[in-house]
Amino acid sequence: MTADGTAAAGGDGNARSSPPGTPGTPGTPGTPRPSDGSLPPDGSPSPDGLLSLDELMPWSVRPLRTGRAWVSGPDPVALRARWERLAAAGPAEQERLFAPSRSRTPHTSVAALPGRSAGTARFARNPGPCPDPVRILHGPYDEQWLLPDHRLIDAARPELWRVADGRQLFVVEHSTAPEDSGPALSVTALLPDGHSPAGRPGRIRPLYRRPGGTEPNLAPDLTELLRERLGGAAEPDAFTPEAVLAWVLAAARPSATGPRVPLPADAEVWSSGVALGRELMRLQSRGARGGERPRLPGGRRPYVRAALPARPTELVHEAEGEALVVGDGRISPVPAAAWEFTVGGVRVLELWFGRRAAAATGRGPGGAAPDGLDAVGARGWPREWTSELLELITVLALLDGTAGLRKELWAALEAGPLIGPAELRAAGVLPVPSSARRPASVLGHQEEGPEGQFALL
């Protein structure tokens, strides 16, 4: 493969102001759907009895829109070097390097990002010290870095930064095809930018609406209804917000209108789905929040058999030897399932490597010739990237290993009764109030506004 990078662009705006309609005819509460259980020709599930994420997790935020590629990337050292180059440049050069947009120029004055101490004065007048790069999730499986300075980011989505803490988890929608091996949603403890590997935007849904793991971003009274209908001998933590998120992650099905989620009327199906979802959460979040980091069993763990070159340009998988050839370097074993793992029709490992191979040589997105700050800070292939590659191979192989369990869960849902939209409406869970679709107010918290002013939110 020829190395290249990808710069994703997203939309503008915040939470949806009104719920979209639910297609199809609601199923009868607690009874099987009026169909033969088969899927339509396009691979999307029947809408009967299924719920949209807007109905289950009402508050969503559009993806981040940086407006300039150089503020994020796989190497935090390069980001610091870019900042220093920009801050030290003369007025004309600084204007060119900044890559101005309608939303941001070196002369724009904006509020600080919540929880961040970066300056709020105009960058051209007072850049201030370089903020520490923060870890973000770029697409569902690519952990990168971002300069957390609001003056540099067109649409940073401050409402997400306000609730990002040690208790928060974020769900990200990403476009999938029926033949994709991965789940329809991703979950992360990092701040996500909301972009899929193919560059398409996906809504971001925090699990909690307030810091400290309070006020779940779930349809009001949903957990109470599930506990009443499915409680029985279930485990005490089977209906917590994290358990509902686990179910959503395991049971979500792709469709033309976005992921859709069935709710089972069978307690055993719910328990098995929650258990599967918890494993998906552990794998996708890579052991965050006290979980065990993903590891393949025994001798199946991938190792570096030959050192990777300083600036690799090609990546090849040898199926017969289960080896990943990185230039003159070699990693094995690498299961074919990890190599073939795709999201939105894009092979995850190839895209991950392409972004770093381009960054190692200072090339811009798409392999463009070095220009501006995208070319600053290239330092070859650091050792950390090799460790990240080994972990990514492990994560993808283990995620592929859950495909059979996900199919079994979907088969059980096709055969069994569902808690349909009509039952949720009768219980008062639906429709979701419009206030649940907007960010929660954060009272008594000071945030620095433009030019150092403070506002009480």
Side-chain angles (χ1 to χ4, degrees):
M1 164 193 164
T2 300
D4 69 335
T6 297
D12 199 1
N14 295 317
R16 286 174 179 154
S17 59
S18 62
T22 301
T25 303
T28 303
T31 61
R33 280 162 289 165
S35 70
D36 61 0
S38 61
L39 297 181
D42 63 357
S44 61
S46 167
D48 296 335
L50 303 186
L51 296 144
S52 71
L53 284 181
D54 278 311
E55 293 170 308
L56 296 178
M57 302 183 73
W59 177 39
S60 67
V61 181
R62 289 185 179 180
L64 277 63
R65 179 164 52 84
T66 62
R68 47 205 50 83
W70 61 264
V71 300
S72 64
D75 185 4
V77 176
L79 297 186
R80 290 183 180 277
R82 293 169 185 176
W83 172 282
E84 299 299 338
R85 168 76 180 276
L86 182 67
E93 179 68 359
Q94 188 177 86
E95 185 84 13
R96 183 187 72 85
L97 292 174
F98 190 93
S101 63
R102 288 189 300 174
S103 298
R104 297 290 186 270
T105 76
H107 308 283
T108 303
S109 181
V110 296
L113 284 174
R116 300 292 157 181
S117 58
T120 59
R122 292 170 174 83
F123 192 94
R125 189 181 70 196
N126 182 19
C130 179
D132 292 333
V134 297
R135 198 72 154 154
I136 65 169
L137 190 70
H138 180 55
Y141 303 110
D142 193 345
E143 296 186 356
Q144 296 201 11
W145 298 88
L146 173 72
L147 287 171
D149 190 315
H150 210 181
R151 298 171 296 178
L152 310 180
I153 305 171
D154 281 8
R157 313 305 180 198
E159 60 270 42
L160 291 178
W161 295 78
R162 290 190 184 103
V163 299
D165 62 9
R167 293 288 306 279
Q168 188 65 268
L169 290 169
F170 297 96
V171 176
V172 184
E173 302 175 24
H174 48 85
S175 301
T176 59
E179 63 272 13
D180 279 344
S181 54
L185 303 170
S186 296
V187 65
T188 177
L190 302 175
L191 183 77
D193 66 9
H195 295 286
S196 73
R200 291 183 290 272
R203 307 290 296 195
I204 302 169
R205 300 177 190 271
L207 177 58
Y208 297 105
R209 293 168 49 81
R210 298 180 185 274
T214 58
E215 192 175 337
N217 179 26
L218 298 173
D221 300 324
L222 175 62
T223 54
E224 287 75 9
L225 180 141
L226 292 172
R227 185 177 289 108
E228 291 175 4
R229 290 282 275 107
L230 305 173
E235 296 293 329
D237 63 348
F239 304 101
T240 62
E242 291 82 0
V244 176
L245 174 59
W247 171 265
V248 168
L249 193 63
R253 303 293 301 268
S255 79
T257 58
R260 300 181 64 78
V261 183
L263 292 179
D266 185 292
E268 291 187 6
V269 175
W270 173 265
S271 296
S272 63
V274 169
L276 172 58
R278 291 189 190 279
E279 176 65 2
L280 294 174
M281 289 170 62
R282 182 184 74 86
L283 296 177
Q284 292 189 1
S285 64
R286 307 192 188 188
R289 306 291 185 262
E292 182 182 354
R293 295 194 73 88
R295 300 180 69 180
L296 285 167
R300 294 298 299 167
R301 299 173 190 168
Y303 291 94
V304 176
R305 310 297 179 176
L308 277 59
R311 287 176 171 80
T313 58
E314 291 189 342
L315 185 71
V316 177
H317 184 256
E318 294 181 352
E320 186 174 347
E322 288 195 318
L324 197 63
V325 181
V326 187
D328 295 330
R330 191 177 187 88
I331 296 173
S332 68
V334 178
W339 172 250
E340 298 292 344
F341 197 100
T342 62
V343 174
V346 177
R347 189 173 284 160
V348 172
L349 274 178
E350 281 190 315
L351 183 59
W352 184 97
F353 169 80
R355 288 168 175 159
R356 283 153 184 78
T361 56
R363 290 197 298 275
D371 180 52
L373 293 178
D374 288 321
V376 174
R379 61 188 181 114
W381 187 280
R383 183 177 300 176
E384 295 84 359
W385 290 357
T386 301
S387 299
E388 292 173 19
L389 176 57
L390 295 175
E391 183 171 63
L392 179 59
I393 292 168
T394 299
V395 167
L396 298 181
L398 291 172
L399 282 173
D400 183 80
T402 67
L405 294 175
R406 284 185 279 122
K407 290 180 180 178
E408 290 178 8
L409 178 63
W410 294 338
L413 288 167
E414 290 289 344
L418 299 179
I419 300 174
E423 182 172 350
L424 296 183
R425 292 190 185 97
V429 176
L430 297 180
V432 174
S434 59
S435 59
R437 301 186 183 280
R438 298 191 295 266
S441 298
V442 181
L443 302 176
H445 178 71
Q446 280 194 328
E447 294 178 5
E448 186 176 350
E451 300 295 332
Q453 300 179 26
F454 283 86
L456 187 66
L457 299 179

